[in-house]
Structure formats: structure tokens, C-alpha cells
Amino acid sequence: MTTTPAPDRTTTAATPATAGGDTTPAATPEHTTTGDLAVRHLKVAVIGAGISGLGTAIGLLKAGVDDFLVFERARDLGGTWRDNTYPGCACDVQAHLYSFSFARNPEWKSTFATQAEVHAYLKTCATRYGVDPHLRYDHELLEARWDDTHHHWNLRTSHGRYTAQALVTGTGYLSDPAVPDLPGLDTFTGTVFHSSRWRHDHDLTGRNVAVIGTGASAIQFVPKIQPQVAHLDLYQRTPPWVAAKPDKPNTTRHTWMLRHLPGYQRFRRAFNKHGREVVAFFMSRPSRTTGMKNMAAGHLKKSVKDPALRQRLTPDYTVGCKRLLFSNTWYPAIQQPNVDIVSDTVTAVGPTHITTADGRRRDVDTIILATGFTATDRPIAHRIHGRNGTTLHTTWTTHGMTAHRGTTIHGFPNLFMILGPNTTLGHSSQTVMIEAQITYILDALHTLDKHHLTSIEVRQEAQNTYNKTIRTRLENTVWNSGGCNSWYTDNHGNNPSIWPTYTWRFRRQTRHIDITNYQTATHTDHTTTP
């Protein structure tokens, strides 16, 4: 795919570009002017340098598009795999599948990759595919506004202003920590941190530690810190379903086959990808999850001999309603003498203690919040302003958190959101969805060029029809009728997170842009086509 040069356009910015922005002394076809300063115009602006953003950048380069930048608020790439450095952090999807299909890695050390391995893999991909020159670190997106006159996005970052014909967000849903509203937390005089912002400078040796939450992060770091601490109070609102993790080191023979046997790694990845589709069938109805429940319950029974404790650790909801977790070390760790499982609600936090609903007060000097992320209230939605200046957050609050193909949103022309609403998987790897969306976005950009369009915007009726189908498919699944409250759902009980069926269906839907579901505008008159 080749790019069409953007026409000369003049804009007026409220403030000039600051140091660090890409500026030139005079306006060119690639720049817009702000008085006598210049603002760089891009074909595509990508927000976030995690798996989604890097995958998009690689896709653009492969398609012959090099007029783009990737804006990253941090000083390194990697997204969630840069931020989450807590002890024991690892992927719970097999490494062969939790990687790009076009960049298979024969060097994984075991079945499931560690945080450090995934992070290093992403950095290698950025260098290998030539993404590094397009990365702009310390460039936080502060605001994006659609210009309906010039049909481009006005971007304000922490290091300057830009314009872009298309805006791609790759910020995902596991980027901003969710901090619980615990009464008195601000009065605590000890150390508090979220698991995704781990304080490596804070030595836990000999400390009295409280861990709030028992989700995917806690089951990885608790077994690592338990031997260090003097005492650990584990605050459990609801116990998770936990199955054994089939992790094992890759042997020398296996690694040799991955490196040298043609097609072997491709086969392993495809086998795992298609095999996981069976899980989607099980989760489509709670009655089909008996086998999964027996697997997890068997692991619990084998690991916890005390019937009373086993009862406290047995969930009262259908397996899969909340994400099924995998660990071989969780149950042994939380049965150690220095661990107490607290199921009573936290009613107050004091300077040196936590009080629960039963009236008991527990002394603590460190609080670790393993409380997940703001998955259904995404901070970036507050910063994106579509037609008429309406924010994406306002649109979603008013009309529900929806998108077409999980990617485009009515009222926000030329905006493409990777891992947007209803693209989360409860049964497979997010890289499958990410690559499918990248294919869809690249075809949309190609369509813009091919037909000399300035913008495309999904029709409201198309978005509504698509999401009605999603809601219908979700209705009887374990995610909606499994008897739990999970991070998949919002405050109104809606589920704007889960893709409720097989990934092959999503891949088929996103193979090409369904342009008949879009209204378009041209370079010449900026009029919208019927």
C-alpha cells in the first residue's frame, strides 16, 4: 500500500509546539503551519507502544506506509509487559500463541513466557522490523480533537502538537491501575502500591503485608513474596477458580526443532490457536463447563487437604465467569503458617492497620493492591474528542461502550481502536484479535488512498446492528450468566469487554473493511457520501 501525500493545510494552534516535537522551519505538504511555526502532519498517529501499537507500526511498514509516529507516554516500549514487573510475572497463554504470527520466536525458555522474555521479544521485534525510528517516548497524548473542516486529527502531546489523517489507539485495557476506594487509605502511614507499579526499592523482608485482591497478578506474586514476609494477610472478596499450570522448560531437542524444523513452530502455534476454540464452545453455556470445573476442583482438592479451608477457597460461580487462572504454587503458598486468608470486607484503613467488617483490626506496614485495571472506564476515552467536540467517554456513557468490529465508533471519523469494546478473550490469546484488527485497519487506510477519501466513519445503524448481535451472543454465556461480578462488566451490568464466540468469526469479519457500512468524504469537497 502506498500513501497519498496530504494536501497543504493551515491550522491555528492555541500554543506552539514545545521542545521535543517534530518541527521544521517552514510549512511543507507534510506540515501544517501555526503562525510562523510548523506542526508535523502524519498519515497515521499511533498511541501506545505495547503489542497493539508495535503490531500496527510493523503492519504499516510492511504495507509501504512510513509516514507515521508511535507516541508512547513512558520511556520504553512494551505496554503492560513493561509496567508489570512484580515477582513471578508471566503470561498464562502459551508463548507460541502469545506472539506475532509473523515473528515466531524459537527461543522461548518454557511453555509460558516470563515478563522479561515477552518484554525482550517486543523490543527485538521493534528493532527487527524498523519501528525504532518511528517511536516517540515521553510523548503522552493529552488531547485528540477531530477537525471537521480539514478532516484530520489535531493532537496535543506532552512534547508538542501534531496533526494526523488517521488515529490508531493501542492503549488496551490493562494499562491504568484500578485503585479501590478503601475508607481511610489516604491516612495509612506505611507503603502502598499497586502490583502493576511494583516498588522494587521497598524490601518486603520481615514486613507485615496486606494483599488486596486474589486475581491473576496476586496468584503470581504472592507465592514469590510469601517466604520473605513476616506475615501476609490476603484479602479475598471472592476466591478464583485455579487450575494446574502445564508449564515446563523447553528441552534442547524441542528448541532445536523450533529453530530448524520447517513448519514445526507454525504447526505448534496453529494447533494451540485452534484447540483453544473448543474452550469458547464450553463457555457459550454454563452447562457446558462441567469438565473445566472438575479440572479446577480436582486441582483444589489435591492441593488443599483441609476441608474447611477448601470450602473457603471454592468459588460459588461458574468456572469461566471470571478468568480461569493457572498456578502450581498458589495453593501451597497461601497455606503457609505466615498467611491468613481474610474474607471479611475491609471497612477502614488506619495509619498502621486495616479493620474488617467483623471488627477485627490487623496491623500492617505494607499494602499491595492487586485490584486490576480500569478496563471499562478507559482513561484515553476522556482525551479523544470527536465530531462536535464530544469526548469518547461522554459518548460511551450516554449510549453505551460500543464499537463496530471493536474498532471504529460513530462520531469519531478516522479513529481506529485496537482492543476496543468486546474484543477481550476469555479463552485464547489477545494477539489473535490484535492481528485481525490490524488487518482491518490497514485495509481501511488502503481504501482511503485508493478512493482519494479524507475520512471514513461507521454508520450509527451499522454499529447498532453489530452490537445487537454481540449482546445476543453474550446473553447465555458464562461471562453474562455465570453468577459473578467480574471486571468484564461495567457499573450497569453490561458486558462491553468479552468477544463471546470463536476467534475465527472475528478474523473473518475483519479480513476487509466493510465499506458499505461507512459514510465517506472526499479530498475535493469534504462532503459526506450517502
Side-chain angles (χ1 to χ4, degrees):
M1 181 171 78
T2 58
T3 60
T4 302
D8 285 335
R9 294 185 285 229
T10 302
T11 62
T12 56
T15 56
T18 58
D22 290 300
T23 61
T24 57
T28 73
E30 295 181 353
H31 293 78
T32 58
T33 60
T34 57
D36 54 1
L37 293 175
V39 175
R40 181 174 176 182
H41 178 72
L42 304 166
K43 176 73 176 178
V44 184
V46 181
I47 311 301
I51 293 179
S52 298
L54 292 176
T56 301
I58 293 168
L60 288 168
L61 290 171
K62 284 186 169 186
V65 180
D66 61 4
D67 183 16
F68 72 90
L69 291 176
V70 180
F71 297 107
E72 170 54 56
R73 66 183 178 183
R75 297 182 179 181
D76 192 11
L77 58 79
T80 190
W81 295 105
R82 173 201 61 232
D83 294 339
N84 286 272
T85 60
Y86 58 78
C89 184
C91 192
D92 62 359
V93 173
Q94 286 91 331
H96 293 312
L97 189 56
Y98 200 85
S99 51
F100 295 123
S101 62
F102 54 81
R104 291 178 293 276
N105 177 23
E107 306 304 325
W108 300 119
K109 294 182 175 64
S110 60
T111 308
F112 298 88
T114 64
Q115 174 270 334
E117 284 184 282
V118 177
H119 191 203
Y121 166 79
L122 294 175
K123 297 181 83 166
T124 298
C125 286
T127 301
R128 174 183 172 186
Y129 289 98
V131 175
D132 288 330
H134 297 268
L135 294 169
R136 294 296 181 271
Y137 296 120
D138 275 327
H139 278 57
E140 181 176 5
L141 178 69
L142 303 177
E143 182 182 78
R145 283 187 177 270
W146 174 251
D147 184 331
D148 212 25
T149 300
H150 300 96
H151 281 206
H152 65 216
W153 285 95
N154 291 317
L155 309 178
R156 182 166 61 90
T157 77
S158 55
H159 274 73
R161 292 177 178 269
Y162 301 79
T163 63
Q165 182 183 20
L167 177 63
V168 180
T169 66
T171 52
Y173 52 85
L174 302 179
S175 56
D176 292 87
V179 177
D181 184 18
L182 299 178
L185 184 61
D186 58 341
T187 69
F188 185 64
T189 57
T191 300
V192 183
F193 57 89
H194 192 276
S195 60
S196 67
R197 303 294 186 266
W198 196 268
R199 286 281 304 275
H200 292 281
D201 61 330
H202 182 66
D203 188 4
L204 295 175
T205 303
R207 294 188 181 274
N208 294 319
V209 177
V211 174
I212 312 295
T214 55
S217 299
I219 72 159
Q220 292 186 335
F221 74 73
V222 165
K224 294 293 184 180
I225 69 171
Q226 174 271 317
Q228 296 177 254
V229 304
H231 188 81
L232 191 154
D233 289 322
L234 180 63
Y235 289 82
Q236 169 187 274
R237 185 173 59 181
T238 53
W241 283 109
V242 181
K245 189 172 185 178
D247 195 15
K248 59 182 180 180
N250 287 333
T251 63
T252 302
R253 177 174 177 270
H254 181 65
T255 301
W256 184 92
M257 292 174 68
L258 293 172
R259 290 173 179 168
H260 304 292
L261 190 61
Y264 178 65
Q265 192 170 3
R266 183 181 293 108
F267 165 77
R268 290 294 302 269
R269 188 180 193 278
F271 182 82
N272 187 245
K273 181 176 73 174
H274 296 301
R276 281 177 168 265
E277 299 287 63
V278 177
V279 180
F281 171 77
F282 294 150
M283 292 188 171
S284 64
R285 296 290 185 276
S287 59
R288 296 173 179 170
T289 62
T290 302
M292 296 171 59
K293 177 182 178 181
N294 291 340
M295 175 183 67
H299 179 56
L300 173 60
K301 185 176 182 179
K302 179 180 178 181
S303 304
V304 180
K305 302 303 181 184
D306 179 2
L309 178 58
R310 192 163 63 238
Q311 181 61 37
R312 293 181 65 195
L313 296 174
T314 300
D316 60 0
Y317 55 85
T318 304
V319 64
C321 183
K322 293 186 177 184
R323 189 174 180 88
L324 175 63
L325 307 180
F326 297 89
S327 176
N328 301 324
T329 56
W330 170 250
Y331 288 137
I334 63 177
Q335 293 179 83
Q336 296 305 309
N338 66 335
V339 177
D340 281 338
I341 301 171
V342 184
S343 300
D344 294 288
T345 303
V346 174
T347 55
V349 179
T352 60
H353 64 273
I354 294 177
T355 304
T356 48
D358 61 352
R360 183 170 175 181
R361 171 173 159 164
R362 295 173 175 84
D363 292 332
V364 61
D365 53 54
T366 303
I367 299 176
I368 304 175
L369 305 174
T371 46
F373 301 86
T374 56
T376 58
D377 182 17
R378 305 190 187 187
I380 195 169
H382 296 257
R383 304 183 182 196
I384 298 176
H385 301 254
R387 184 174 285 114
N388 302 322
T390 304
T391 66
L392 182 55
H393 171 74
T394 298
T395 298
W396 279 348
T397 300
T398 304
H399 303 291
M401 185 175 172
T402 66
H404 182 65
R405 306 283 194 256
T407 309
T408 55
I409 301 133
H410 179 73
F412 297 81
N414 292 5
L415 172 66
F416 305 94
M417 177 169 281
I418 298 182
L419 295 184
N422 294 110
T423 56
T424 301
L425 294 178
H427 72 282
S428 190
S429 172
Q430 287 299 157
T431 56
V432 177
M433 303 294 276
I434 290 169
E435 288 194 35
Q437 289 186 276
I438 292 170
T439 297
Y440 189 71
I441 293 167
L442 293 176
D443 197 52
L445 296 176
H446 174 70
T447 300
L448 281 170
D449 284 345
K450 181 180 178 180
H451 298 287
H452 307 289
L453 305 174
T454 54
S455 69
I456 63 172
E457 177 186 354
V458 67
R459 300 177 188 276
Q460 185 68 71
E461 58 270 25
Q463 184 173 326
N464 291 345
T465 299
Y466 176 80
N467 283 279
K468 183 178 179 181
T469 301
I470 293 290
R471 288 194 298 271
T472 300
R473 288 191 181 277
L474 271 169
E475 195 170 307
N476 296 314
T477 65
V478 296
W479 301 295
N480 271 36
S481 58
C484 75
N485 292 316
S486 74
W487 63 262
Y488 299 144
T489 58
D490 61 20
N491 293 332
H492 305 291
N494 301 314
N495 189 335
S497 303
I498 284 287
W499 171 251
T501 183
Y502 310 105
T503 60
W504 63 260
R505 281 182 168 149
F506 188 80
R507 298 198 309 274
R508 185 176 64 183
Q509 291 179 4
T510 53
R511 201 164 290 156
H512 299 286
I513 185 75
D514 46 328
I515 196 63
T516 57
N517 285 322
Y518 287 79
Q519 53 194 31
T520 62
T522 64
H523 274 292
T524 53
D525 57 10
H526 286 177
T527 57
T528 302
T529 60

